[in-house]
Each structure stands twice: as structure tokens, then as C-alpha cells.
Amino acid sequence: MLVRFEARSRRDAEPEPPRARGWGAALAGAGERRRFDREMRAVAGAWRGYDQPLVPRVAAFRATALAVVVAAVLAFVGPWSGSSRGWVSDHAAGLLPHSYKEIDVKSWRVEPAEEELPGYSQAFAVDGFRNRAWATAWHPDRPPGESCADTEQAGRSATLVLLFDDAVRIDRVSIRAGLDGKDPQRLTQARPRRIGVQLGDGPCQILSLRDVPDRQDLNVRGKDVRIVKVWVTEAYDPSDGQGNVIAISEIDFLAER
């Protein structure tokens, strides 16, 4: 016992070796942690709770958050379609407070009825792809039509009429005005500057838009809405071209979750 004590005392009295730096310090630290774990297991016996990983709930939350971030990066940075972006936005929004969900549009039409411009179908306004757009003829010399008069009358643009399966609550309307920013034809067309929106039988709302291809959120609210009408009252002039066509890339109707 004396020999053991003296030997141990000599070891305790020995000065500590100089601390390693860089990778050496990291490796030494890892070895020290392993030694500490072995000693703790020996003391604790059968109980190993001190060195267990995070509780399952915390681990699951962190894994879910990481998956959402990775999916969002892949969808918005990668060469994917607009529909995948919509899927990611919809599912990621469910994990965040005060988020919104998109409301599916059942059918659509244009008033007054007109022949679709080639490559600019009415359906493209609500198809989830921002690189496709609905376009209609633009007549800046006509009255703006800022009232909720009969939309079958001629105005500066045709009126896009959108219908839902059931009565819905709308808390926000998002719009991408004009063609996509990467479309070389964007500046050859007139671009929506002010639009009219009518939810169901509610009042008309005339809303201003910036001259950008990005998504713009508009605070438009309505309950028990089955039909929405959208038209253009004013436009940004084209920098190149006649400007006799105006387009909307995407319209989304959102409800708070």
C-alpha cells in the first residue's frame, strides 16, 4: 500500500507536459474524453444514462429541421420545376408558426371570352410554374375599369375568373406580375402596375405592384369565397416592343394554417 501511494504521489507531483496545439490538441482531447467515459462507466456500473445521446424527441426535431433546410435548398437552388418549389413551401410552412397553405383552384375562364394567345394559356396563371404565364391583350386607351361593374364588358385587360371546389377562407393573395425574370420577352410586354381583385361578392380592391418578377404578397381577405376575379387596371410600359400584351406568371391564394 505504501509503494502504491508513493508511486501515485510521484505521478501527481510530476509537472504536466506542455499542451499540444492544432490537430494534436484535438486528438488529445478526444482521448481524454474516452478515458473519462471509461472511468464513469466503471463508477456508474450498469447505469449508462450520462453518456447516452439526446432524448429521441430532441433528436427527431433536429433531424426534421435539417431535412426541411436541405429540401428547401435543393428545391430553390437546384434546376427543379415550380411544382417542387410549391411542394416544399407547403410542407415547410406546416412546421413554422403563422404559416399559410395554398388553396387549389378548381377551374378558370376569361371574361369577356377570348381566344388564348399561343403559349400563354389561362391555366398557366395557377399551375404552380413561375416560368409560364397567362397573357392577354392590353388596351391602355380604354377605361381602367376600377369598379366592380360587369366584367364581361371590355376593359384594359380581360378578367381572369377563378373558381374553387368549396367555399374557402382567403387571408392572402400572392402574385408574380409579368413574365418570369429569366424570360427575354419580359421587357417587351406591358407589366401589371395596378390590379383589381374581387373575392366573391365583396368589394373591388385596387392593389399596387412593384415592377419586379418576384412574388408579391397582398393582404386581401375574404370568407366563404367561391370565385375570385382578377384584372389589370394600369401597367408599366415596355422598354422594347409595342406593349400590347400583358401577363401574370402566377397567382396563389393562401389561408392561415
Side-chain angles (χ1 to χ4, degrees):
M1 293 296 294
L2 291 176
V3 173
R4 288 183 182 179
F5 179 79
E6 291 175 357
R8 185 173 179 181
S9 300
R10 284 196 299 270
R11 285 199 301 270
D12 293 341
E14 291 177 358
E16 294 185 358
R19 295 182 179 273
R21 297 182 179 180
W23 286 104
L27 294 175
E32 181 65 20
R33 286 191 296 273
R34 288 195 297 271
R35 182 192 64 78
F36 175 79
D37 287 344
R38 288 195 298 270
E39 292 181 356
M40 288 295 294
R41 282 194 292 270
V43 173
W47 185 74
R48 298 169 51 88
Y50 76 93
D51 65 344
Q52 293 300 306
L54 294 173
V55 296
R57 183 173 60 182
V58 176
F61 176 81
R62 292 187 177 182
T64 302
L66 178 60
V68 169
V69 172
V70 172
V73 170
L74 291 177
F76 285 91
V77 177
W80 318 109
S81 67
S83 59
S84 65
R85 291 184 177 89
W87 185 93
V88 171
S89 298
D90 188 60
H91 287 71
L95 302 175
L96 302 175
H98 309 295
S99 60
Y100 296 83
K101 64 178 180 180
E102 291 187 11
I103 304 171
D104 293 331
V105 176
K106 175 185 177 183
S107 61
W108 47 85
R109 67 174 185 269
V110 167
E111 297 178 352
E114 65 177 9
E115 185 177 351
E116 289 185 337
L117 297 176
Y120 296 104
S121 170
Q122 304 159 14
F124 292 168
V126 291
D127 67 348
F129 292 85
R130 69 182 185 185
N131 60 342
R132 302 195 301 192
W134 163 65
T136 184
W138 174 243
H139 304 281
D141 54 327
R142 294 179 179 176
E146 293 193 3
S147 65
C148 290
D150 188 356
T151 56
E152 293 186 0
Q153 297 179 357
R156 288 185 174 177
S157 78
T159 297
L160 184 63
V161 182
L162 305 165
L163 298 97
F164 305 102
D165 266 327
D166 302 302
V168 299
R169 187 187 81 249
I170 296 177
D171 297 307
R172 179 174 293 181
V173 175
S174 296
I175 185 170
R176 292 181 184 272
L179 299 179
D180 183 67
K182 296 181 180 179
D183 193 319
Q185 300 299 316
R186 173 176 171 80
L187 298 181
T188 68
Q189 296 184 0
R191 299 172 301 283
R193 183 172 186 169
R194 301 186 76 197
I195 62 170
V197 178
Q198 183 184 15
L199 304 184
D201 296 327
C204 289
Q205 301 184 58
I206 306 302
L207 306 167
S208 298
L209 298 170
R210 293 174 289 114
D211 189 15
V212 295
D214 303 326
R215 169 176 166 170
Q216 301 183 54
D217 293 333
L218 309 174
N219 291 322
V220 181
R221 296 176 179 271
K223 294 182 179 179
D224 299 325
V225 178
R226 292 182 178 272
I227 184 172
V228 176
K229 296 181 180 180
V230 179
W231 64 97
V232 182
T233 64
E234 293 183 21
Y236 293 98
D237 295 329
S239 58
D240 181 20
Q242 298 180 355
N244 56 2
V245 173
I246 198 163
I248 294 177
S249 296
E250 199 66 28
I251 301 175
D252 294 318
F253 300 98
L254 309 172
E256 290 184 357
R257 292 181 182 275

